[in-house]
Amino acid sequence: MHQHPNLKLVLAHGGGYLAAYSGRIDHGASARPDTCEHLRHMPTTYLKRLYFDALVFTDHQLQYLVDLYGADHVLVGTDYPADMGEIDPIGFIERAPGSTMPSGAPFSAAMPPGSSISRSRVS
């Protein structure tokens, strides 16, 4: 990530284990500094540069991602073409407690200026 500071990485399924265990990752780096000699910062510093899809299926997991990494780092996820994905991924985000999508923060903050979400076309 040092050599490619503009690289954007998206982790599927809300980042899985990685997003949920950020404290353990930093603890491991502190307890075993020999395992991360090439890192200039604690691992969570790098995690905050990543993006996560919202395909987590529960409100509390979605809220965790927004609280820890910011709404601007949480993207819509579909699991397409798998048959076990979220049936209405935009609706899941819209129905989340505290969501004011699509007209205001927190979730629409991730959308570039002038963009919009359409139920007829998700790309």
Side-chain angles (χ1 to χ4, degrees), residues 60-95:
H60 71 276
Q61 287 177 300
L62 180 59
Q63 190 63 53
Y64 172 82
L65 291 172
V66 170
D67 289 346
L68 198 59
Y69 301 105
D72 60 332
H73 282 251
V74 179
L75 313 172
V76 173
T78 67
D79 225 1
Y80 180 84
D83 61 356
M84 58 182 271
E86 176 64 51
I87 294 169
D88 182 11
I90 295 172
F92 169 69
I93 295 171
E94 287 176 331
R95 290 185 302 275

PDB file of all heavy atoms in Angstrom, residues 60-95:
ATOM      1  N   HIS A  60     -26.655  -4.724  12.771  1.00  0.00           N
ATOM      2  CA  HIS A  60     -25.556  -4.390  13.683  1.00  0.00           C
ATOM      3  C   HIS A  60     -24.191  -4.546  13.010  1.00  0.00           C
ATOM      4  O   HIS A  60     -23.277  -3.790  13.294  1.00  0.00           O
ATOM      5  CB  HIS A  60     -25.642  -5.194  14.990  1.00  0.00           C
ATOM      6  CG  HIS A  60     -25.327  -6.644  14.854  1.00  0.00           C
ATOM      7  ND1 HIS A  60     -26.256  -7.580  14.452  1.00  0.00           N
ATOM      8  CD2 HIS A  60     -24.184  -7.315  15.066  1.00  0.00           C
ATOM      9  CE1 HIS A  60     -25.694  -8.772  14.435  1.00  0.00           C
ATOM     10  NE2 HIS A  60     -24.439  -8.650  14.802  1.00  0.00           N
ATOM     11  N   GLN A  61     -24.053  -5.500  12.092  1.00  0.00           N
ATOM     12  CA  GLN A  61     -22.778  -5.621  11.376  1.00  0.00           C
ATOM     13  C   GLN A  61     -22.565  -4.456  10.414  1.00  0.00           C
ATOM     14  O   GLN A  61     -21.456  -3.946  10.286  1.00  0.00           O
ATOM     15  CB  GLN A  61     -22.718  -6.950  10.619  1.00  0.00           C
ATOM     16  CG  GLN A  61     -22.525  -8.125  11.538  1.00  0.00           C
ATOM     17  CD  GLN A  61     -22.555  -9.416  10.775  1.00  0.00           C
ATOM     18  OE1 GLN A  61     -23.549  -9.750  10.127  1.00  0.00           O
ATOM     19  NE2 GLN A  61     -21.466 -10.148  10.829  1.00  0.00           N
ATOM     20  N   LEU A  62     -23.635  -4.037   9.758  1.00  0.00           N
ATOM     21  CA  LEU A  62     -23.540  -2.885   8.870  1.00  0.00           C
ATOM     22  C   LEU A  62     -23.181  -1.633   9.666  1.00  0.00           C
ATOM     23  O   LEU A  62     -22.309  -0.861   9.267  1.00  0.00           O
ATOM     24  CB  LEU A  62     -24.860  -2.689   8.121  1.00  0.00           C
ATOM     25  CG  LEU A  62     -24.915  -1.520   7.146  1.00  0.00           C
ATOM     26  CD1 LEU A  62     -23.845  -1.638   6.063  1.00  0.00           C
ATOM     27  CD2 LEU A  62     -26.291  -1.419   6.520  1.00  0.00           C
ATOM     28  N   GLN A  63     -23.821  -1.447  10.815  1.00  0.00           N
ATOM     29  CA  GLN A  63     -23.530  -0.284  11.646  1.00  0.00           C
ATOM     30  C   GLN A  63     -22.085  -0.308  12.142  1.00  0.00           C
ATOM     31  O   GLN A  63     -21.421   0.719  12.214  1.00  0.00           O
ATOM     32  CB  GLN A  63     -24.496  -0.208  12.832  1.00  0.00           C
ATOM     33  CG  GLN A  63     -24.396   1.094  13.599  1.00  0.00           C
ATOM     34  CD  GLN A  63     -24.775   2.291  12.738  1.00  0.00           C
ATOM     35  OE1 GLN A  63     -25.841   2.316  12.142  1.00  0.00           O
ATOM     36  NE2 GLN A  63     -23.885   3.276  12.653  1.00  0.00           N
ATOM     37  N   TYR A  64     -21.581  -1.493  12.477  1.00  0.00           N
ATOM     38  CA  TYR A  64     -20.184  -1.636  12.906  1.00  0.00           C
ATOM     39  C   TYR A  64     -19.234  -1.129  11.820  1.00  0.00           C
ATOM     40  O   TYR A  64     -18.300  -0.375  12.106  1.00  0.00           O
ATOM     41  CB  TYR A  64     -19.891  -3.106  13.231  1.00  0.00           C
ATOM     42  CG  TYR A  64     -18.435  -3.383  13.502  1.00  0.00           C
ATOM     43  CD1 TYR A  64     -17.887  -3.135  14.758  1.00  0.00           C
ATOM     44  CD2 TYR A  64     -17.604  -3.888  12.508  1.00  0.00           C
ATOM     45  CE1 TYR A  64     -16.550  -3.395  15.011  1.00  0.00           C
ATOM     46  CE2 TYR A  64     -16.262  -4.133  12.751  1.00  0.00           C
ATOM     47  CZ  TYR A  64     -15.742  -3.879  14.000  1.00  0.00           C
ATOM     48  OH  TYR A  64     -14.409  -4.123  14.246  1.00  0.00           O
ATOM     49  N   LEU A  65     -19.477  -1.526  10.582  1.00  0.00           N
ATOM     50  CA  LEU A  65     -18.617  -1.081   9.481  1.00  0.00           C
ATOM     51  C   LEU A  65     -18.660   0.433   9.322  1.00  0.00           C
ATOM     52  O   LEU A  65     -17.629   1.077   9.138  1.00  0.00           O
ATOM     53  CB  LEU A  65     -19.029  -1.754   8.173  1.00  0.00           C
ATOM     54  CG  LEU A  65     -18.759  -3.248   8.068  1.00  0.00           C
ATOM     55  CD1 LEU A  65     -19.393  -3.810   6.796  1.00  0.00           C
ATOM     56  CD2 LEU A  65     -17.269  -3.533   8.104  1.00  0.00           C
ATOM     57  N   VAL A  66     -19.856   1.000   9.386  1.00  0.00           N
ATOM     58  CA  VAL A  66     -20.001   2.449   9.252  1.00  0.00           C
ATOM     59  C   VAL A  66     -19.315   3.158  10.416  1.00  0.00           C
ATOM     60  O   VAL A  66     -18.585   4.134  10.216  1.00  0.00           O
ATOM     61  CB  VAL A  66     -21.490   2.852   9.159  1.00  0.00           C
ATOM     62  CG1 VAL A  66     -21.658   4.365   9.258  1.00  0.00           C
ATOM     63  CG2 VAL A  66     -22.102   2.325   7.865  1.00  0.00           C
ATOM     64  N   ASP A  67     -19.521   2.665  11.630  1.00  0.00           N
ATOM     65  CA  ASP A  67     -18.926   3.306  12.805  1.00  0.00           C
ATOM     66  C   ASP A  67     -17.402   3.248  12.780  1.00  0.00           C
ATOM     67  O   ASP A  67     -16.730   4.223  13.113  1.00  0.00           O
ATOM     68  CB  ASP A  67     -19.423   2.653  14.095  1.00  0.00           C
ATOM     69  CG  ASP A  67     -20.873   2.953  14.405  1.00  0.00           C
ATOM     70  OD1 ASP A  67     -21.454   3.880  13.775  1.00  0.00           O
ATOM     71  OD2 ASP A  67     -21.443   2.246  15.262  1.00  0.00           O
ATOM     72  N   LEU A  68     -16.845   2.106  12.397  1.00  0.00           N
ATOM     73  CA  LEU A  68     -15.392   1.930  12.478  1.00  0.00           C
ATOM     74  C   LEU A  68     -14.657   2.461  11.251  1.00  0.00           C
ATOM     75  O   LEU A  68     -13.583   3.047  11.379  1.00  0.00           O
ATOM     76  CB  LEU A  68     -15.056   0.457  12.690  1.00  0.00           C
ATOM     77  CG  LEU A  68     -13.655   0.168  13.212  1.00  0.00           C
ATOM     78  CD1 LEU A  68     -13.417   0.855  14.555  1.00  0.00           C
ATOM     79  CD2 LEU A  68     -13.469  -1.322  13.362  1.00  0.00           C
ATOM     80  N   TYR A  69     -15.236   2.269  10.067  1.00  0.00           N
ATOM     81  CA  TYR A  69     -14.508   2.603   8.836  1.00  0.00           C
ATOM     82  C   TYR A  69     -15.097   3.792   8.080  1.00  0.00           C
ATOM     83  O   TYR A  69     -14.465   4.313   7.179  1.00  0.00           O
ATOM     84  CB  TYR A  69     -14.442   1.372   7.920  1.00  0.00           C
ATOM     85  CG  TYR A  69     -13.748   0.226   8.610  1.00  0.00           C
ATOM     86  CD1 TYR A  69     -14.460  -0.857   9.093  1.00  0.00           C
ATOM     87  CD2 TYR A  69     -12.371   0.252   8.820  1.00  0.00           C
ATOM     88  CE1 TYR A  69     -13.818  -1.894   9.755  1.00  0.00           C
ATOM     89  CE2 TYR A  69     -11.727  -0.776   9.487  1.00  0.00           C
ATOM     90  CZ  TYR A  69     -12.460  -1.846   9.952  1.00  0.00           C
ATOM     91  OH  TYR A  69     -11.824  -2.866  10.607  1.00  0.00           O
ATOM     92  N   GLY A  70     -16.306   4.201   8.427  1.00  0.00           N
ATOM     93  CA  GLY A  70     -16.938   5.343   7.781  1.00  0.00           C
ATOM     94  C   GLY A  70     -17.867   4.929   6.660  1.00  0.00           C
ATOM     95  O   GLY A  70     -17.601   3.973   5.926  1.00  0.00           O
ATOM     96  N   ALA A  71     -18.976   5.653   6.523  1.00  0.00           N
ATOM     97  CA  ALA A  71     -19.962   5.364   5.484  1.00  0.00           C
ATOM     98  C   ALA A  71     -19.348   5.480   4.090  1.00  0.00           C
ATOM     99  O   ALA A  71     -19.783   4.790   3.165  1.00  0.00           O
ATOM    100  CB  ALA A  71     -21.157   6.301   5.617  1.00  0.00           C
ATOM    101  N   ASP A  72     -18.345   6.318   3.956  1.00  0.00           N
ATOM    102  CA  ASP A  72     -17.707   6.486   2.645  1.00  0.00           C
ATOM    103  C   ASP A  72     -16.825   5.309   2.267  1.00  0.00           C
ATOM    104  O   ASP A  72     -16.288   5.265   1.162  1.00  0.00           O
ATOM    105  CB  ASP A  72     -16.925   7.793   2.599  1.00  0.00           C
ATOM    106  CG  ASP A  72     -15.832   7.870   3.646  1.00  0.00           C
ATOM    107  OD1 ASP A  72     -15.968   7.239   4.709  1.00  0.00           O
ATOM    108  OD2 ASP A  72     -14.851   8.581   3.410  1.00  0.00           O
ATOM    109  N   HIS A  73     -16.707   4.310   3.153  1.00  0.00           N
ATOM    110  CA  HIS A  73     -15.932   3.108   2.853  1.00  0.00           C
ATOM    111  C   HIS A  73     -16.812   1.858   2.831  1.00  0.00           C
ATOM    112  O   HIS A  73     -16.297   0.737   2.842  1.00  0.00           O
ATOM    113  CB  HIS A  73     -14.795   2.947   3.856  1.00  0.00           C
ATOM    114  CG  HIS A  73     -13.647   3.852   3.563  1.00  0.00           C
ATOM    115  ND1 HIS A  73     -12.448   3.396   3.076  1.00  0.00           N
ATOM    116  CD2 HIS A  73     -13.519   5.195   3.627  1.00  0.00           C
ATOM    117  CE1 HIS A  73     -11.637   4.406   2.883  1.00  0.00           C
ATOM    118  NE2 HIS A  73     -12.270   5.521   3.214  1.00  0.00           N
ATOM    119  N   VAL A  74     -18.120   2.045   2.808  1.00  0.00           N
ATOM    120  CA  VAL A  74     -19.055   0.921   2.738  1.00  0.00           C
ATOM    121  C   VAL A  74     -19.834   1.035   1.431  1.00  0.00           C
ATOM    122  O   VAL A  74     -20.461   2.045   1.156  1.00  0.00           O
ATOM    123  CB  VAL A  74     -20.021   0.911   3.947  1.00  0.00           C
ATOM    124  CG1 VAL A  74     -20.995  -0.259   3.844  1.00  0.00           C
ATOM    125  CG2 VAL A  74     -19.228   0.830   5.250  1.00  0.00           C
ATOM    126  N   LEU A  75     -19.759  -0.023   0.627  1.00  0.00           N
ATOM    127  CA  LEU A  75     -20.364  -0.051  -0.702  1.00  0.00           C
ATOM    128  C   LEU A  75     -21.461  -1.108  -0.769  1.00  0.00           C
ATOM    129  O   LEU A  75     -21.446  -2.069  -0.010  1.00  0.00           O
ATOM    130  CB  LEU A  75     -19.287  -0.379  -1.744  1.00  0.00           C
ATOM    131  CG  LEU A  75     -17.979   0.404  -1.642  1.00  0.00           C
ATOM    132  CD1 LEU A  75     -16.950  -0.164  -2.596  1.00  0.00           C
ATOM    133  CD2 LEU A  75     -18.228   1.869  -1.910  1.00  0.00           C
ATOM    134  N   VAL A  76     -22.364  -0.955  -1.707  1.00  0.00           N
ATOM    135  CA  VAL A  76     -23.422  -1.948  -1.904  1.00  0.00           C
ATOM    136  C   VAL A  76     -22.799  -3.249  -2.407  1.00  0.00           C
ATOM    137  O   VAL A  76     -21.929  -3.235  -3.280  1.00  0.00           O
ATOM    138  CB  VAL A  76     -24.471  -1.443  -2.922  1.00  0.00           C
ATOM    139  CG1 VAL A  76     -25.472  -2.536  -3.262  1.00  0.00           C
ATOM    140  CG2 VAL A  76     -25.192  -0.220  -2.381  1.00  0.00           C
ATOM    141  N   GLY A  77     -23.240  -4.357  -1.845  1.00  0.00           N
ATOM    142  CA  GLY A  77     -22.806  -5.674  -2.294  1.00  0.00           C
ATOM    143  C   GLY A  77     -24.009  -6.512  -2.663  1.00  0.00           C
ATOM    144  O   GLY A  77     -25.073  -6.382  -2.053  1.00  0.00           O
ATOM    145  N   THR A  78     -23.887  -7.377  -3.665  1.00  0.00           N
ATOM    146  CA  THR A  78     -25.039  -8.154  -4.130  1.00  0.00           C
ATOM    147  C   THR A  78     -24.865  -9.659  -4.030  1.00  0.00           C
ATOM    148  O   THR A  78     -25.837 -10.378  -3.954  1.00  0.00           O
ATOM    149  CB  THR A  78     -25.347  -7.841  -5.605  1.00  0.00           C
ATOM    150  OG1 THR A  78     -24.279  -8.322  -6.414  1.00  0.00           O
ATOM    151  CG2 THR A  78     -25.577  -6.365  -5.812  1.00  0.00           C
ATOM    152  N   ASP A  79     -23.661 -10.164  -4.096  1.00  0.00           N
ATOM    153  CA  ASP A  79     -23.374 -11.604  -4.151  1.00  0.00           C
ATOM    154  C   ASP A  79     -23.787 -12.220  -5.494  1.00  0.00           C
ATOM    155  O   ASP A  79     -23.817 -13.424  -5.644  1.00  0.00           O
ATOM    156  CB  ASP A  79     -24.040 -12.362  -3.008  1.00  0.00           C
ATOM    157  CG  ASP A  79     -23.100 -13.358  -2.345  1.00  0.00           C
ATOM    158  OD1 ASP A  79     -21.934 -13.449  -2.766  1.00  0.00           O
ATOM    159  OD2 ASP A  79     -23.529 -14.049  -1.413  1.00  0.00           O
ATOM    160  N   TYR A  80     -24.135 -11.381  -6.442  1.00  0.00           N
ATOM    161  CA  TYR A  80     -24.518 -11.859  -7.768  1.00  0.00           C
ATOM    162  C   TYR A  80     -23.338 -12.571  -8.416  1.00  0.00           C
ATOM    163  O   TYR A  80     -22.217 -12.107  -8.302  1.00  0.00           O
ATOM    164  CB  TYR A  80     -24.955 -10.673  -8.640  1.00  0.00           C
ATOM    165  CG  TYR A  80     -25.360 -11.075 -10.043  1.00  0.00           C
ATOM    166  CD1 TYR A  80     -26.640 -11.530 -10.285  1.00  0.00           C
ATOM    167  CD2 TYR A  80     -24.451 -11.017 -11.086  1.00  0.00           C
ATOM    168  CE1 TYR A  80     -27.015 -11.921 -11.566  1.00  0.00           C
ATOM    169  CE2 TYR A  80     -24.817 -11.414 -12.362  1.00  0.00           C
ATOM    170  CZ  TYR A  80     -26.097 -11.862 -12.591  1.00  0.00           C
ATOM    171  OH  TYR A  80     -26.468 -12.257 -13.847  1.00  0.00           O
ATOM    172  N   PRO A  81     -23.510 -13.689  -9.058  1.00  0.00           N
ATOM    173  CA  PRO A  81     -24.724 -14.404  -9.427  1.00  0.00           C
ATOM    174  C   PRO A  81     -25.127 -15.506  -8.456  1.00  0.00           C
ATOM    175  O   PRO A  81     -25.983 -16.317  -8.786  1.00  0.00           O
ATOM    176  CB  PRO A  81     -24.362 -14.995 -10.785  1.00  0.00           C
ATOM    177  CG  PRO A  81     -22.926 -15.343 -10.643  1.00  0.00           C
ATOM    178  CD  PRO A  81     -22.346 -14.240  -9.753  1.00  0.00           C
ATOM    179  N   ALA A  82     -24.529 -15.561  -7.281  1.00  0.00           N
ATOM    180  CA  ALA A  82     -24.890 -16.603  -6.317  1.00  0.00           C
ATOM    181  C   ALA A  82     -26.356 -16.480  -5.922  1.00  0.00           C
ATOM    182  O   ALA A  82     -26.901 -15.379  -5.861  1.00  0.00           O
ATOM    183  CB  ALA A  82     -24.006 -16.497  -5.075  1.00  0.00           C
ATOM    184  N   ASP A  83     -26.978 -17.602  -5.640  1.00  0.00           N
ATOM    185  CA  ASP A  83     -28.406 -17.611  -5.332  1.00  0.00           C
ATOM    186  C   ASP A  83     -28.709 -17.353  -3.857  1.00  0.00           C
ATOM    187  O   ASP A  83     -29.862 -17.355  -3.455  1.00  0.00           O
ATOM    188  CB  ASP A  83     -29.046 -18.925  -5.767  1.00  0.00           C
ATOM    189  CG  ASP A  83     -28.457 -20.130  -5.053  1.00  0.00           C
ATOM    190  OD1 ASP A  83     -27.496 -19.957  -4.259  1.00  0.00           O
ATOM    191  OD2 ASP A  83     -28.941 -21.241  -5.292  1.00  0.00           O
ATOM    192  N   MET A  84     -27.689 -17.108  -3.043  1.00  0.00           N
ATOM    193  CA  MET A  84     -27.937 -16.881  -1.627  1.00  0.00           C
ATOM    194  C   MET A  84     -27.625 -15.443  -1.204  1.00  0.00           C
ATOM    195  O   MET A  84     -27.511 -15.148  -0.026  1.00  0.00           O
ATOM    196  CB  MET A  84     -27.140 -17.856  -0.772  1.00  0.00           C
ATOM    197  CG  MET A  84     -25.647 -17.792  -0.987  1.00  0.00           C
ATOM    198  SD  MET A  84     -24.752 -18.980  -0.003  1.00  0.00           S
ATOM    199  CE  MET A  84     -24.474 -18.032   1.468  1.00  0.00           C
ATOM    200  N   GLY A  85     -27.516 -14.545  -2.155  1.00  0.00           N
ATOM    201  CA  GLY A  85     -27.213 -13.152  -1.853  1.00  0.00           C
ATOM    202  C   GLY A  85     -28.399 -12.415  -1.271  1.00  0.00           C
ATOM    203  O   GLY A  85     -29.515 -12.935  -1.161  1.00  0.00           O
ATOM    204  N   GLU A  86     -28.155 -11.188  -0.895  1.00  0.00           N
ATOM    205  CA  GLU A  86     -29.213 -10.303  -0.387  1.00  0.00           C
ATOM    206  C   GLU A  86     -30.194 -10.050  -1.521  1.00  0.00           C
ATOM    207  O   GLU A  86     -29.805  -9.630  -2.607  1.00  0.00           O
ATOM    208  CB  GLU A  86     -28.593  -8.988   0.098  1.00  0.00           C
ATOM    209  CG  GLU A  86     -29.566  -7.956   0.566  1.00  0.00           C
ATOM    210  CD  GLU A  86     -30.357  -8.367   1.790  1.00  0.00           C
ATOM    211  OE1 GLU A  86     -29.754  -8.795   2.785  1.00  0.00           O
ATOM    212  OE2 GLU A  86     -31.607  -8.265   1.731  1.00  0.00           O
ATOM    213  N   ILE A  87     -31.480 -10.299  -1.288  1.00  0.00           N
ATOM    214  CA  ILE A  87     -32.499 -10.141  -2.327  1.00  0.00           C
ATOM    215  C   ILE A  87     -32.653  -8.680  -2.727  1.00  0.00           C
ATOM    216  O   ILE A  87     -32.817  -8.351  -3.898  1.00  0.00           O
ATOM    217  CB  ILE A  87     -33.852 -10.720  -1.850  1.00  0.00           C
ATOM    218  CG1 ILE A  87     -33.718 -12.233  -1.679  1.00  0.00           C
ATOM    219  CG2 ILE A  87     -34.966 -10.375  -2.814  1.00  0.00           C
ATOM    220  CD1 ILE A  87     -34.881 -12.881  -0.981  1.00  0.00           C
ATOM    221  N   ASP A  88     -32.573  -7.785  -1.754  1.00  0.00           N
ATOM    222  CA  ASP A  88     -32.740  -6.354  -2.009  1.00  0.00           C
ATOM    223  C   ASP A  88     -31.607  -5.592  -1.311  1.00  0.00           C
ATOM    224  O   ASP A  88     -31.802  -5.026  -0.236  1.00  0.00           O
ATOM    225  CB  ASP A  88     -34.114  -5.898  -1.498  1.00  0.00           C
ATOM    226  CG  ASP A  88     -34.396  -4.436  -1.757  1.00  0.00           C
ATOM    227  OD1 ASP A  88     -33.643  -3.784  -2.515  1.00  0.00           O
ATOM    228  OD2 ASP A  88     -35.379  -3.932  -1.195  1.00  0.00           O
ATOM    229  N   PRO A  89     -30.399  -5.582  -1.891  1.00  0.00           N
ATOM    230  CA  PRO A  89     -29.259  -4.979  -1.198  1.00  0.00           C
ATOM    231  C   PRO A  89     -29.417  -3.482  -0.930  1.00  0.00           C
ATOM    232  O   PRO A  89     -28.980  -2.997   0.102  1.00  0.00           O
ATOM    233  CB  PRO A  89     -28.081  -5.256  -2.123  1.00  0.00           C
ATOM    234  CG  PRO A  89     -28.670  -5.539  -3.449  1.00  0.00           C
ATOM    235  CD  PRO A  89     -30.023  -6.114  -3.197  1.00  0.00           C
ATOM    236  N   ILE A  90     -30.053  -2.769  -1.824  1.00  0.00           N
ATOM    237  CA  ILE A  90     -30.266  -1.340  -1.591  1.00  0.00           C
ATOM    238  C   ILE A  90     -31.301  -1.151  -0.492  1.00  0.00           C
ATOM    239  O   ILE A  90     -31.136  -0.327   0.407  1.00  0.00           O
ATOM    240  CB  ILE A  90     -30.664  -0.619  -2.892  1.00  0.00           C
ATOM    241  CG1 ILE A  90     -29.495  -0.673  -3.882  1.00  0.00           C
ATOM    242  CG2 ILE A  90     -31.060   0.831  -2.607  1.00  0.00           C
ATOM    243  CD1 ILE A  90     -29.828  -0.169  -5.265  1.00  0.00           C
ATOM    244  N   GLY A  91     -32.357  -1.944  -0.530  1.00  0.00           N
ATOM    245  CA  GLY A  91     -33.374  -1.887   0.517  1.00  0.00           C
ATOM    246  C   GLY A  91     -32.804  -2.220   1.884  1.00  0.00           C
ATOM    247  O   GLY A  91     -33.182  -1.620   2.891  1.00  0.00           O
ATOM    248  N   PHE A  92     -31.886  -3.180   1.948  1.00  0.00           N
ATOM    249  CA  PHE A  92     -31.235  -3.533   3.213  1.00  0.00           C
ATOM    250  C   PHE A  92     -30.550  -2.306   3.813  1.00  0.00           C
ATOM    251  O   PHE A  92     -30.684  -2.024   5.005  1.00  0.00           O
ATOM    252  CB  PHE A  92     -30.222  -4.664   2.988  1.00  0.00           C
ATOM    253  CG  PHE A  92     -29.326  -4.915   4.164  1.00  0.00           C
ATOM    254  CD1 PHE A  92     -29.836  -5.451   5.343  1.00  0.00           C
ATOM    255  CD2 PHE A  92     -27.976  -4.626   4.101  1.00  0.00           C
ATOM    256  CE1 PHE A  92     -29.008  -5.680   6.429  1.00  0.00           C
ATOM    257  CE2 PHE A  92     -27.145  -4.855   5.185  1.00  0.00           C
ATOM    258  CZ  PHE A  92     -27.661  -5.390   6.362  1.00  0.00           C
ATOM    259  N   ILE A  93     -29.856  -1.556   2.992  1.00  0.00           N
ATOM    260  CA  ILE A  93     -29.169  -0.355   3.478  1.00  0.00           C
ATOM    261  C   ILE A  93     -30.180   0.729   3.832  1.00  0.00           C
ATOM    262  O   ILE A  93     -30.077   1.375   4.875  1.00  0.00           O
ATOM    263  CB  ILE A  93     -28.146   0.143   2.436  1.00  0.00           C
ATOM    264  CG1 ILE A  93     -27.034  -0.895   2.274  1.00  0.00           C
ATOM    265  CG2 ILE A  93     -27.566   1.492   2.848  1.00  0.00           C
ATOM    266  CD1 ILE A  93     -26.079  -0.612   1.130  1.00  0.00           C
ATOM    267  N   GLU A  94     -31.180   0.902   2.994  1.00  0.00           N
ATOM    268  CA  GLU A  94     -32.205   1.923   3.265  1.00  0.00           C
ATOM    269  C   GLU A  94     -32.940   1.653   4.578  1.00  0.00           C
ATOM    270  O   GLU A  94     -33.294   2.579   5.299  1.00  0.00           O
ATOM    271  CB  GLU A  94     -33.226   1.969   2.131  1.00  0.00           C
ATOM    272  CG  GLU A  94     -32.715   2.594   0.862  1.00  0.00           C
ATOM    273  CD  GLU A  94     -33.743   2.534  -0.265  1.00  0.00           C
ATOM    274  OE1 GLU A  94     -34.570   1.601  -0.295  1.00  0.00           O
ATOM    275  OE2 GLU A  94     -33.700   3.426  -1.105  1.00  0.00           O
ATOM    276  N   ARG A  95     -33.190   0.382   4.881  1.00  0.00           N
ATOM    277  CA  ARG A  95     -33.940   0.015   6.081  1.00  0.00           C
ATOM    278  C   ARG A  95     -33.081  -0.003   7.344  1.00  0.00           C
ATOM    279  O   ARG A  95     -33.612  -0.119   8.451  1.00  0.00           O
ATOM    280  CB  ARG A  95     -34.590  -1.350   5.901  1.00  0.00           C
ATOM    281  CG  ARG A  95     -35.727  -1.366   4.905  1.00  0.00           C
ATOM    282  CD  ARG A  95     -36.414  -2.717   4.851  1.00  0.00           C
ATOM    283  NE  ARG A  95     -35.534  -3.823   4.501  1.00  0.00           N
ATOM    284  CZ  ARG A  95     -35.221  -4.181   3.254  1.00  0.00           C
ATOM    285  NH1 ARG A  95     -35.720  -3.507   2.226  1.00  0.00           N
ATOM    286  NH2 ARG A  95     -34.423  -5.198   3.017  1.00  0.00           N
TER     287      ARG A  95
END
